[in-house]
């Protein structure tokens, strides 16, 4: 299965989505914002809330992750 970086600022949604992905057999690195997401190990798949409140939005985060990997 895949290694997934899950980024969601709503704690309830983060936990729910993490549980669903883990039950499907994926390894999940969960983050509640941009800084936490960038601190996680590289993952094969990123599931990102596009409206993360921070200096960078979800699309900006995806660009940063793409440059990092």
């Amino acid at each position: 299965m895949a290694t997934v970086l899950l980024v969601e600022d709503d704690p309830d949604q983060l936990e729910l989505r993490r549980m669903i992905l883990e039950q499907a057999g994926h390894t999940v690195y969960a983050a509640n914002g941009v800084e936490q997401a960038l601190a996680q190990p590289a993952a094969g798949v990123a599931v990102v809330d596009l409206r993360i409140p921070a200096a960078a939005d979800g699309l900006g985060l995806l660009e940063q992750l793409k440059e990092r990997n």
Side-chain angles (χ1 to χ4, degrees), residues 20-57:
I20 290 169
L21 289 167
E22 285 179 344
Q23 286 177 356
H26 302 291
T27 300
V28 179
Y29 297 114
N32 65 7
V34 173
E35 288 181 21
Q36 209 176 52
L38 293 173
Q40 299 296 323
V45 176
V47 178
V48 178
D49 178 356
L50 294 179
R51 292 187 248 164
I52 305 170
D57 62 7

Side-chain angles (χ1 to χ4, degrees), residues 2-68:
T3 301
V4 178
L5 173 60
L6 174 62
V7 186
E8 171 62 63
D9 62 314
D10 180 313
D12 293 331
Q13 288 296 317
L14 180 65
E15 181 63 15
L16 177 65
R17 293 173 185 179
R18 182 192 62 77
M19 288 179 2
I20 290 169
L21 289 167
E22 285 179 344
Q23 286 177 356
H26 302 291
T27 300
V28 179
Y29 297 114
N32 65 7
V34 173
E35 288 181 21
Q36 209 176 52
L38 293 173
Q40 299 296 323
V45 176
V47 178
V48 178
D49 178 356
L50 294 179
R51 292 187 248 164
I52 305 170
D57 62 7
L59 291 175
L61 173 60
L62 288 173
E63 284 297 320
Q64 290 178 38
L65 291 171
K66 181 180 172 183
E67 289 173 8
R68 181 178 84 173

